[in-house]
């Protein structure tokens, strides 16, 4: 792994592999929905869309055709803390890939007609997520537990905020956020060193600027119920957890795996396999720069919802009281190790790994270093994490479907 820091603060991280014929190139920008104002919520995601709608050199159609001619795969995504643009191609197409992606970022057209058209597309995307109860439950949990923070606002924005975002707002946002300190370009695969020299020259065109700042979000326990005529009721339950810089996050990740990741996990084995109360149940966790959430999701029929929720909370209580077995911890460690090493076989995964670690930590730990952190976690560490995270006074929940009132679920989840 190598790194270049340019005079404007932009960074290039790269990892060469001469034994393959493909390469992934992308630009990761350290700005997302948490860096937006409430008035212009959804700007980061809107920009992600509109940059594919044409540049000063290519029309929307010409840009699409140029990406298709690469014969590989191109895409982009927006999270609460970053926006990414990337493509995987054959190594002899890297020069074209670099030109297309950097051209989008440095010389966007921001055509008014395209902006209006894409606004409608994103409104349809919002509707799509509103129709998905699993996504809705997860999104609503983030919104209600961080009510006073941009971290709680939806990545897509709202229909109301989208109407306030136009060409000038996007240009202003990019001028402020798409600056050298927030830019990391990643290259993974087979490439010519001369291409890195050329990339350095191109990225030098980004202006200098300050790295994004933000306020830590304050977690507040909350609940949300939305009645919908679904066949199943959908539930999400979360607790505050550890941020991405907290060393306890490794124990938390293993705790989540043991609780509800895979067919041998406690929630899956008990709630689905032994008691037959649901089809879908899993635990999940996520860390941001100053916050973290850990919890579970399940979907059940109206008849089985109480038993399923009680069973989930009972398994959480058992881990807090009894801890986990050495076999459970060994399996969880092996699963995480395998997932990490599988990721090494994909240039896309490796490029993302390089860029995200550089953005978040200013360095790129080796895979062996990350695995060593997990291997060092003991059963006592996992039990301590469970006792710390699963505080009954701090849980929040979202229920969507043919639901009862909040007090009904509050009673089930606390008894």
């Amino acid at each position: 792994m190598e790194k270049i820091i340019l005079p404007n603060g932009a960074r290039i991280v790269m990892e060469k592999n001469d034994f393959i014929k493909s390469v992934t190139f992308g630009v990761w920008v350290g700005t997302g929905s948490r860096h937006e104002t409430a008035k212009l919520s959804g700007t980061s995601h809107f920009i992600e869309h509109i940059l594919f709608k044409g540049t000063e050199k290519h029309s929307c159609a010409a840009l699409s055709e140029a990406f298709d001619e690469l014969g590989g795969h191109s895409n982009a995504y927006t999270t609460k803390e970053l926006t990414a643009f990337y493509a995987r191609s054959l190594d002899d197409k890297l020069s074209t890939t670099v030109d297309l992606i950097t051209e989008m970022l440095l010389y966007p057209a921001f055509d008014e007609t395209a902006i209006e058209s894409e606004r409608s597309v994103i409104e349809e995307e919002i509707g799509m997520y509103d129709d998905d109860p699993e996504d809705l439950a997860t999104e609503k949990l983030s919104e209600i537990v961080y009510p006073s923070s941009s971290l709680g606002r939806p990545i897509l924005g709202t229909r109301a905020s989208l109407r306030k975002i136009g060409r000038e707002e996007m240009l202003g946002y990019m001028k402020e956020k798409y600056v050298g300190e927030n830019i990391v370009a990643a290259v993974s695969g087979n490439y010519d060193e001369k291409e890195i020299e050329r990339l350095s020259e191109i990225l030098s065109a980004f202006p200098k600027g300050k790295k994004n700042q933000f306020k830590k979000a304050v977690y507040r326990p909350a609940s949300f119920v939305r009645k919908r005529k679904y066949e199943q009721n959908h539930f999400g339950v979360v607790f505050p957890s550890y941020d991405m810089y907290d060393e306890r996050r490794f124990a938390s990740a293993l705790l989540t795996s043991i609780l509800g990741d895979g067919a041998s996990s406690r929630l899956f084995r008990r709630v689905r396999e032994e008691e037959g109360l649901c089809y879908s149940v899993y635990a999940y966790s996520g860390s941001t720069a100053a916050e973290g959430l850990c919890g579970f999701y399940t979907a059940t029929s109206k008849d089985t919802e109480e038993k399923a929720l009680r069973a989930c909370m009972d398994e959480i209580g058992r881990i807090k009281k009894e801890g986990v077995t050495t076999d459970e911890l060994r399996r969880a460690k092996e699963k995480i190790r395998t997932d990490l090493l599988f990721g090494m076989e994909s240039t896309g995964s490796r490029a993302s790994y390089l860029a995200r670690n550089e953005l978040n930590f200013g360095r790129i730990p080796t895979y062996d270093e990350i695995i060593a952190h997990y291997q060092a976690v003991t059963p006592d560490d996992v039990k301590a994490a469970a006792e710390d995270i699963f505080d009954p006074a701090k849980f929040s929940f979202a229920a969507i479907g043919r639901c009862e009132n909040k007090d009904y679920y509050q009673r089930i989840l606390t008894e």
Side-chain angles (χ1 to χ4, degrees):
M1 299 179 188
E2 298 179 71
K3 178 168 74 173
I4 296 173
I5 303 176
L6 301 176
N8 63 354
R11 288 156 285 174
I12 303 172
V13 287
M14 67 210 90
E15 182 181 54
K16 191 165 186 178
N17 186 337
D18 294 327
F19 301 101
I20 59 176
K21 292 297 293 179
S22 68
V23 61
T24 293
F25 167 75
V27 176
W28 278 255
V29 188
T31 190
S33 59
R34 84 170 304 159
H35 306 109
E36 302 163 352
T37 64
K39 180 180 178 181
L40 299 179
S41 174
T43 303
S44 302
H45 177 257
F46 205 157
I47 288 173
E48 176 222 312
H49 274 237
I50 210 66
L51 292 187
F52 282 92
K53 299 305 171 183
T55 69
E56 294 176 4
K57 301 178 182 179
H58 289 85
S59 67
C60 178
L63 189 61
S64 297
E65 290 171 0
F67 272 114
D68 285 346
E69 284 185 11
L70 290 175
H73 171 75
S74 61
N75 210 338
Y77 63 87
T78 305
T79 72
K80 293 184 180 292
E81 297 185 313
L82 62 84
T83 310
F85 307 84
Y86 60 94
R88 183 186 182 193
S89 65
L90 294 177
D91 53 8
D92 59 3
K93 300 289 183 67
L94 177 59
S95 181
T96 303
T97 304
V98 167
D99 287 343
L100 291 174
I101 291 178
T102 56
E103 182 183 315
M104 287 165 48
L105 300 177
L106 288 166
Y107 310 107
F110 284 126
D111 177 76
E112 296 280 10
T113 301
I115 290 173
E116 292 306 314
S117 174
E118 203 61 25
R119 195 191 318 275
S120 297
V121 171
I122 298 174
E123 287 178 351
E124 291 297 322
E125 189 177 0
I126 291 172
M128 180 181 71
Y129 281 101
D130 282 344
D131 286 339
D132 187 319
E134 185 175 346
D135 286 335
L136 182 58
T138 303
E139 190 65 55
K140 279 297 177 182
L141 278 170
S142 181
E143 179 182 326
I144 63 176
V145 302
Y146 300 128
S148 304
S149 171
S150 56
L151 193 64
R153 292 196 288 268
I155 293 170
L156 304 185
T158 65
R159 290 179 174 84
S161 67
L162 287 176
R163 288 193 289 270
K164 299 172 184 175
I165 303 171
R167 188 175 194 275
E168 293 306 312
E169 287 74 21
M170 291 185 188
L171 285 169
Y173 187 86
M174 287 195 73
K175 183 178 180 180
E176 179 184 358
K177 308 294 186 182
Y178 279 57
V179 295
E181 288 290 338
N182 288 329
I183 300 291
V184 173
V187 187
S188 178
N190 196 10
Y191 57 85
D192 190 321
E193 298 294 342
K194 292 181 179 179
E195 193 58 45
I196 303 301
E197 296 176 11
R198 199 174 71 88
L199 175 59
S200 298
E201 295 178 6
I202 295 172
L203 294 181
S204 296
F206 281 100
K208 290 184 178 180
K210 296 181 179 179
K211 189 174 182 179
N212 278 329
Q213 301 297 314
F214 59 88
K215 293 182 179 179
K216 180 177 179 177
V218 178
Y219 175 96
R220 292 187 175 89
S223 57
F224 171 84
V225 173
R226 175 170 291 179
K227 293 185 181 293
R228 291 276 182 89
K229 293 182 179 180
Y230 294 132
E231 288 298 316
Q232 290 186 305
N233 287 351
H234 300 259
F235 300 95
V237 177
V238 294
F239 299 78
S241 183
Y242 309 125
D243 65 48
M244 67 173 65
Y245 303 108
D246 194 316
E247 288 297 311
R248 293 173 295 176
R249 70 188 185 277
F250 299 105
S252 174
L254 290 164
L255 167 64
T256 303
S257 180
I258 291 167
L259 181 63
D261 182 15
S264 68
S265 67
R266 293 196 178 194
L267 293 183
F268 191 94
R269 190 171 63 241
R270 176 173 175 182
V271 185
R272 173 173 161 159
E273 297 298 287
E274 294 177 6
E275 300 191 27
L277 298 173
C278 69
Y279 176 80
S280 178
V281 61
Y282 58 84
Y284 63 94
S285 61
S287 297
T288 47
E291 308 83 11
L293 293 175
C294 178
F296 68 87
Y297 163 87
T298 188
T300 75
S301 71
K302 186 77 177 86
D303 294 337
T304 60
E305 66 175 8
E306 181 173 351
K307 288 183 179 180
L309 290 173
R310 288 185 185 278
C312 289
M313 295 304 288
D314 184 55
E315 288 302 318
I316 285 174
R318 284 184 57 223
I319 287 184
K320 288 177 62 178
K321 182 180 179 179
E322 303 168 7
V324 300
T325 68
T326 54
D327 281 345
E328 285 179 313
L329 185 55
R330 176 182 51 78
R331 286 195 300 270
K333 289 178 178 180
E334 188 60 21
K335 187 176 190 309
I336 288 176
R337 185 180 80 93
T338 301
D339 288 345
L340 282 169
L341 295 179
F342 277 177
M344 293 180 66
E345 298 179 2
S346 162
T347 58
S349 294
R350 291 175 80 99
S352 178
Y353 179 85
L354 295 173
R356 288 184 293 103
N357 276 283
E358 179 60 33
L359 273 174
N360 293 327
F361 300 99
R363 61 180 293 268
I364 303 162
T366 66
Y367 285 85
D368 287 343
E369 182 180 344
I370 296 296
I371 290 169
H373 280 294
Y374 284 110
Q375 294 293 351
V377 174
T378 67
D380 286 343
D381 294 331
V382 176
K383 186 175 186 293
E387 293 171 342
D388 184 38
I389 293 169
F390 297 134
D391 183 341
K394 295 181 180 179
F395 83 89
S396 299
F397 72 88
I400 300 169
R402 300 175 186 270
C403 300
E404 302 293 333
N405 58 38
K406 294 179 182 179
D407 291 341
Y408 173 78
Y409 297 111
Q410 188 81 24
R411 176 179 59 81
I412 291 173
L413 294 166
T414 53
E415 285 184 349

